[in-house]
Amino acid sequence: MSEYKAPKSEKDFEENFSQIKPLMSDSEAYYESSRCLFCYDAPCVTACPTGIDIPLFIRQINTDNSLGAAKTIYDSNTFGYACGKVCPTEVLCEGACVYNHQDVKPIEIGRLQSFATGKAIEKNHKIYTTGKPNGKKVAIIGAGPAGISCACDLRMYGCEVDVYEAKDQPSGLTVYGVAPYKITNKEALDEMVYLEKQFGYKVHYRKPILNKADLENLEKKYDAIFIGIGLGSTSSLNINGENLENCIGATEFVEELRMKHHKVSVPAKVIVLGGGNTAMDAASESARMGSEKVILAYRRSKEAMGAYEFEYDLAKGVGVKGMFNVSPVEILGNGKVEGVKFIRTQDVNGKLENIAGSEFTEACDWVIKATGQSKQVELLKLISGMELDGKGRILVDPKTFVTKNPKYFAAGDAVSGGQEVVNAVADGRRAAKGIMDSIMK
Amino acid sequence: MANLKTNLAGIKSPNPFWLASAPPTNSGYQIMKAFDAGWGGAVWKTLGVPVVNVSSRYGAVNHRDNRMVGFNNIELITDRPLADNLREIEEVKKRFPDHAVIASLMVETKEEWHQIVKDVENAGSDGIELNFGCPHGMCERGMGSAVGQEPKVLKTIVSWVKEVAKVPVIVKLTPNISDITRPGLAAVEGGGDAISLINTIQSIVGVDIDKFVPYPIVDGKSTNGGYCGPAVKPIALNMLKNCAQHPGINIPISGIGGVENWRDAVEFILLGATSVQVCTAVMHYGFGIIRELVSGLERYMDEKGFQTLDDFRGKALPNIMHWEDLNLKYKVVANINKDKCIGCQLCYTACEDGAHQAIGLSGDMTDRKPFIIEENCVGCNLCSLVCPVEDCISMDRKDDGKETLTWKDRTLAGNIPTTFNDPLAGGLHHWVPQPEEALTKAKPKHYSL
């Protein structure tokens, strides 16, 4: 049933994961930018979590001023290129475009955004001059969207910034967690190089902050510490069989795929558990990796899925089969996964109930759990005064992003519990302002 | 079924669509191809003593992704020997006897005029067009628009031509003059059988901002050229109207200037044109556009019940008055159809910044649709013009149509403002915000610097 053959080379992989928002050519950008109406209080701007002046940058592209457009974008969004590619524009800027009310295709804002910022990155066009040194030092834990955007703004304010990253590469989920057909590794990393060169923060790779001693060290050295550690590994379902070989987490699967590409081998039959966007990604990716039968199993109805409709459509489009109102009871197998035992469910006055006696078994080679990620609670508990909510999310002041420990600030998924790249960028920048207000007092 | 047959001062053609004297009529090959495609007539590229042209000849004005909304050239008249052109005229007429071939001419002396008129008539031309319009190159040599700008000289040359011409003579006028009716009248006085207008408008089409040279660039330099294409249509229509309405200009007119589709052609005919001439649109899209021109004109005529072009020629002319004759009591007010509005708010910002502050916003993101502040609306149409949705903003009539009062009436009645602070001024009755309010007026966040 799958349309895709297992990729045997990097070229195969690129074909199977061809970009759903490919970079525009100059002509395409010109024609598309010509269509923009230049709305007054443009709803696309309001819909953008970073409030980019979209009509302005589109007009700049149209008047052959793409570098000016890039500045307009970066002024509001540090991850301008990446967001153009990975943002769910269908529900943000493009979803708000007034053309939708006229049954005309909305402006392809995301692709135009990547077009303009891509020009700046390609030319290594310098837009910003960092602030005069103010003598303050800030440590950032995690080189993801929240951390890097916070670092850039702090550099503009004149702070010295060190970023501590556990992994080999920056950009967090942009390179490790987003589906490969949304952005390539090279694209994500090129923007990181561009930013690092321009803003001059230092990233220390393979330097995880793990224990009390690490934290105390930071506290001594820096005036403030920003936590942008995102989420942890895939949460446990607490059912039997989870420890079997080939029962894996979606986050881990996507990360492996992003790093190893065609060298990852996905078996013939895969069951993905979950109804969120990560589940859609994992299912889509399995199909594109040549898996013959990919089932997306969700315990509630199709309508109740947390995933965006277009994400489900993407998965369906590559042959993923949805199975709804089925709850996993047990992962079956002998050493290795052989199948999943489900029970059918129904909604009774808003409460999900199992239908007694409706158990059935679906055979498979892999189970991918896309049922949420844990929070990195262990580390956070080591920080004195730090408070978390019931779901393990860091409690911060919504304006300044300061945690209950006044030396620590936080933003991104570790605070929100899991949002888009664009939200992390917006909050990371607000946190930079909060840090400045605090340390310059 | 509509009959498109055209007769301009005796020059007959199967339809009113002629190719203007320009690059598309440079050769017999092109004109035969055009007639084969369905064009009714062609004005041969201007004949005379052949010229030497420069390389790099055209420039264009693009508007967003629309190419060549304006077009300019620095090409001169034919650069091919007269004998070759005459032989080709003969061949074309032999193959297409019912199509109109008009020879455009431009020479200097009376003797040359007499000779070339006879030559083109002998070759079989159905008519002659005198090029008194070319605004670049040739005018420097005392021809083209240099003639068109001097009614006396124009009249003299027309009379020279008329001394020998047996076929109808069309005088082509230049728009590079403040009153087009003056050369128009001179053409009549000289004995011209028809006029055609407009020729191109003297122009600089744009400047290369890296090389600091206007387009088109000839070895690092440029010169002014002749402007045409869709952008010049409004200027052409106005000059056509001026001539068509002039009681002294009682000869037929061939309309030229930005005709690209059937609708343009209908507009020219409604303002009095007998035939229309097309150049830029063919240079852009080729002869094939004739299919659209003919089918559109036929459909329009059938829909309106017009049998011949005479049925609607000049039909809009009686509706063009002087400003002073317009009814000051007529009042329209904008009306936004909320079902069609898409919330772009272009009408709001256009009215707010560019007109009369007669459109408001709720300030609530859930209701993005602007509303009309009726008491402020002067009925200027701007909002309806910027609105990207067809039929969303209408201009609704508010007066009862019973009263008519013109500026002329008021002048005659002595009821007009005459001093600087006259209470009779119209603007006194309009509401305008205080200047300081501009600084506190709500605006979108991204509008702040």
Side-chain angles (χ1 to χ4, degrees):
Chain A
M1 92 177 203
S2 175
E3 299 168 24
Y4 293 91
K5 285 197 181 115
K8 294 202 167 56
S9 64
E10 182 61 23
K11 191 169 159 281
D12 290 350
F13 182 84
E14 277 171 20
E15 273 172 27
N16 285 11
F17 288 87
S18 63
Q19 296 295 298
I20 55 171
K21 287 184 186 169
L23 209 54
M24 282 179 167
S25 68
D26 287 5
S27 306
E28 208 179 353
Y30 183 56
Y31 288 131
E32 188 62 8
S33 60
S34 288
R35 295 203 304 128
C36 178
L37 294 171
F38 201 71
C39 293
Y40 174 63
D41 192 358
C44 52
V45 181
T46 315
C48 174
T50 59
I52 300 173
D53 190 344
I54 293 164
L56 174 61
F57 90 66
I58 294 179
R59 209 172 172 83
Q60 288 169 315
I61 290 172
N62 195 249
T63 54
D64 196 20
N65 182 13
S66 290
L67 295 178
K71 179 177 186 304
T72 302
I73 295 160
Y74 280 123
D75 279 350
S76 295
N77 186 335
T78 316
F79 277 53
Y81 185 93
C83 282
K85 297 212 75 174
V86 310
C87 258
T89 53
E90 292 84 344
V91 295
L92 296 174
C93 52
E94 292 174 23
C97 178
V98 296
Y99 272 137
N100 291 299
H101 303 300
Q102 212 178 358
D103 296 326
V104 170
K105 193 169 78 80
I107 303 289
E108 290 192 64
I109 299 168
R111 291 184 67 207
L112 284 169
Q113 181 172 316
S114 297
F115 171 82
T117 46
K119 292 271 179 202
I121 295 169
E122 185 192 316
K123 294 192 164 80
N124 195 23
H125 172 65
K126 187 174 161 66
I127 298 174
Y128 302 103
T129 305
T130 51
K132 217 175 88 198
N134 60 18
K136 300 290 181 184
K137 289 174 78 172
V138 180
I140 307 262
I141 309 176
I148 294 294
S149 54
C150 183
C152 289
D153 274 23
L154 288 170
R155 290 291 298 143
M156 291 303 284
Y157 293 127
C159 300
E160 198 181 311
V161 180
D162 285 311
V163 183
Y164 294 91
E165 169 56 49
K167 294 192 162 127
D168 294 332
Q169 287 169 329
S171 88
L173 288 187
T174 318
V175 85
Y176 288 105
V178 170
Y181 44 78
K182 290 184 181 163
I183 190 168
T184 67
N185 295 12
K186 183 176 184 311
E187 288 174 315
L189 296 173
D190 280 355
E191 185 169 50
M192 292 304 105
V193 171
Y194 174 67
L195 294 177
E196 193 173 344
K197 221 184 265 178
Q198 198 164 170
F199 289 96
Y201 48 82
K202 279 187 218 79
V203 189
H204 306 271
Y205 295 105
R206 293 173 294 281
K207 284 274 184 298
I209 303 302
L210 296 171
N211 50 44
K212 189 84 183 158
D214 290 343
L215 290 167
E216 278 169 359
N217 197 20
L218 294 182
E219 286 168 21
K220 258 183 250 155
K221 249 173 106 179
Y222 297 96
D223 297 289
I225 299 155
F226 174 84
I227 304 169
I229 55 176
L231 301 173
S233 51
T234 301
S235 319
S236 168
L237 286 170
N238 295 319
I239 56 173
N240 283 335
E242 266 190 277
N243 295 329
L244 289 170
E245 193 180 329
N246 296 338
C247 174
I248 59 176
T251 316
E252 292 75 13
F253 168 59
V254 177
E255 181 171 335
E256 195 182 355
L257 196 62
R258 287 299 301 251
M259 293 302 113
K260 295 183 182 162
H261 286 186
H262 65 279
K263 289 175 194 124
V264 176
S265 154
V266 178
K269 196 171 170 193
V270 175
I271 292 178
V272 178
L273 302 174
N277 290 318
T278 307
M280 304 303 132
D281 278 355
S284 267
E285 287 161 28
S286 299
R288 286 169 195 262
M289 286 301 285
S291 182
E292 283 162 27
K293 190 169 183 190
V294 181
I295 292 174
L296 181 80
Y298 182 50
R299 61 199 175 99
R300 294 179 187 273
S301 70
K302 185 161 86 178
E303 295 68 34
M305 283 200 298
Y308 298 123
E309 207 178 322
F310 68 88
E311 295 281 14
Y312 179 54
D313 288 344
L314 258 180
K316 269 198 305 189
V318 293
V320 172
K321 191 178 172 301
M323 207 161 78
F324 301 98
N325 284 107
V326 292
S327 180
V329 181
E330 185 185 353
I331 316 270
L332 307 169
N334 189 5
K336 284 182 184 177
V337 166
E338 286 167 16
V340 179
K341 185 176 173 188
F342 288 103
I343 186 163
R344 295 194 190 279
T345 67
Q346 61 185 355
D347 185 283
V348 181
N349 302 324
K351 237 189 109 200
L352 197 68
E353 286 183 4
N354 291 339
I355 301 171
S358 68
E359 289 91 344
F360 67 99
T361 300
E362 190 72 39
C364 68
D365 307 309
W366 263 21
V367 171
I368 301 178
K369 297 181 291 177
T371 44
Q373 287 169 260
S374 62
K375 315 295 181 298
Q376 308 199 45
V377 183
E378 298 313 316
L379 173 71
L380 299 172
K381 276 184 180 161
L382 299 175
I383 301 167
S384 66
M386 177 77 58
E387 280 182 31
L388 309 177
D389 72 2
K391 290 177 175 174
R393 297 179 294 198
I394 305 170
L395 286 173
V396 297
D397 178 288
K399 256 193 160 153
T400 61
F401 290 82
V402 67
T403 67
K404 297 291 176 186
N405 178 326
K407 192 154 190 162
Y408 285 87
F409 293 73
D413 283 354
V415 173
S416 67
Q419 275 187 313
E420 304 298 338
V421 171
V422 66
N423 302 104
V425 171
D427 291 347
R429 296 187 67 162
R430 289 188 195 114
K433 175 85 173 40
I435 291 169
M436 272 309 284
D437 290 347
S438 158
I439 60 179
M440 297 306 283
K441 255 199 297 225
Chain B
M1 187 67 189
N3 176 0
L4 301 191
K5 282 203 174 107
T6 302
N7 183 341
L8 180 127
I11 304 172
K12 290 176 187 159
S13 62
N15 63 49
F17 301 112
W18 297 0
L19 293 169
S21 171
T25 60
N26 189 44
S27 65
Y29 167 80
Q30 287 165 292
I31 294 176
M32 276 224 202
K33 202 174 172 194
F35 287 169
D36 188 48
W39 289 84
V43 186
W44 211 277
K45 171 129 175 142
T46 304
L47 305 174
V49 177
V51 299
V52 178
N53 272 309
V54 290
S55 180
S56 176
R57 304 177 191 178
Y58 309 140
V61 173
N62 302 330
H63 182 251
R64 292 194 167 191
D65 56 345
N66 287 317
R67 298 210 157 250
M68 272 171 63
V69 294
F71 185 71
N72 127 318
N73 82 89
I74 56 168
E75 192 173 291
L76 306 180
I77 65 170
T78 188
D79 54 7
R80 305 169 64 226
L82 182 63
D84 291 359
N85 282 300
L86 294 174
R87 192 184 64 246
E88 290 175 14
I89 290 174
E90 222 176 309
E91 280 179 45
V92 170
K93 273 312 292 184
K94 207 176 284 170
R95 181 67 184 75
F96 291 94
D98 298 329
H99 288 61
V101 172
I102 296 106
S104 171
L105 306 177
M106 189 199 287
V107 289
E108 284 188 272
T109 66
K110 186 174 178 177
E111 290 67 35
E112 282 174 340
W113 280 108
H114 281 179
Q115 184 59 49
I116 201 164
V117 167
K118 283 175 198 159
D119 286 345
V120 297
E121 283 185 353
N122 287 336
S125 296
D126 301 295
I128 288 165
E129 186 180 80
L130 310 182
N131 182 344
F132 296 154
C134 182
H136 50 87
M138 302 313 287
C139 54
E140 295 169 13
R141 306 176 196 180
M143 294 182 277
S145 64
V147 176
Q149 287 164 341
E150 295 295 340
K152 267 187 202 162
V153 181
L154 181 147
K155 181 180 158 185
T156 306
I157 297 178
V158 175
S159 61
W160 290 348
V161 171
K162 284 300 289 182
E163 283 167 16
V164 295
K166 297 192 191 80
V167 296
V169 175
I170 307 167
V171 181
K172 187 166 181 178
L173 303 181
T174 176
N176 300 295
I177 187 161
S178 47
D179 181 1
I180 190 89
T181 63
R182 289 180 60 238
L185 278 170
V188 176
E189 288 162 12
D193 301 291
I195 53 174
S196 57
L197 60 107
I198 58 174
N199 205 308
T200 54
I201 303 166
Q202 205 166 55
S203 61
I204 281 185
V205 82
V207 179
D208 184 318
I209 60 168
D210 299 312
K211 296 181 180 139
F212 317 119
V213 189
Y215 303 109
I217 301 175
V218 180
D219 193 18
K221 305 288 175 197
S222 189
T223 186
N224 53 274
Y227 194 47
C228 54
V232 311
K233 190 182 83 171
I235 296 164
L237 288 176
N238 181 53
M239 291 190 162
L240 169 63
K241 173 268 289 180
N242 287 344
C243 288
Q245 280 190 334
H246 198 290
I249 303 176
N250 47 11
I251 52 179
I253 305 173
S254 184
I256 315 168
V259 176
E260 181 171 294
N261 56 43
W262 69 269
R263 187 178 286 273
D264 301 325
V266 167
E267 292 176 42
F268 273 80
I269 296 169
L270 286 171
L271 291 183
T274 297
S275 69
V276 292
Q277 298 186 28
V278 180
C279 166
T280 311
V282 165
M283 292 183 74
H284 196 165
Y285 302 110
F287 296 128
I289 60 165
I290 190 63
R291 307 197 305 278
E292 179 275 319
L293 285 162
V294 168
S295 90
L297 180 59
E298 281 177 348
R299 190 203 51 78
Y300 171 78
M301 287 173 66
D302 288 345
E303 206 174 281
K304 297 281 174 197
F306 298 141
Q307 308 290 315
T308 69
L309 299 172
D310 293 331
D311 292 351
F312 66 105
R313 174 167 303 110
K315 214 173 163 56
L317 287 171
N319 294 327
I320 309 173
M321 329 278 286
H322 289 127
W323 191 94
E324 63 173 10
D325 296 320
L326 298 175
N327 184 8
L328 297 169
K329 289 290 180 187
Y330 178 72
K331 178 157 176 63
V332 290
V333 165
N335 179 32
I336 300 171
N337 181 336
K338 293 248 176 190
D339 294 333
K340 290 195 168 182
C341 176
I342 59 172
C344 70
Q345 301 175 349
L346 284 176
C347 60
Y348 166 78
T349 195
C351 185
E352 173 71 16
D353 294 356
H356 298 88
Q357 301 80 44
I359 299 183
L361 293 178
S362 71
D364 169 8
M365 270 308 285
T366 57
D367 180 18
R368 296 187 40 84
K369 299 178 181 180
F371 56 89
I372 303 292
I373 305 164
E374 208 172 306
E375 58 273 29
N376 296 359
C377 179
V378 301
C380 73
N381 296 342
L382 180 63
C383 55
S384 71
L385 299 177
V386 300
C387 180
V389 183
E390 205 62 36
D391 300 327
C392 174
I393 301 184
S394 57
M395 302 302 297
D396 297 349
R397 185 164 189 174
K398 293 292 171 180
D399 68 310
D400 58 12
K402 287 179 188 152
E403 255 187 301
T404 304
L405 180 70
T406 67
W407 177 254
K408 199 195 254 169
D409 296 336
R410 283 190 60 169
T411 309
L412 289 172
N415 185 30
I416 57 167
T418 51
T419 58
F420 287 139
N421 297 302
D422 201 315
L424 287 172
L428 276 177
H429 312 296
H430 296 163
W431 171 89
V432 282
Q434 292 304 303
E436 282 287 322
E437 287 176 45
L439 308 178
T440 52
K441 182 88 185 175
K443 61 183 172 190
K445 215 167 70 187
H446 59 282
Y447 270 59
S448 306
L449 288 173

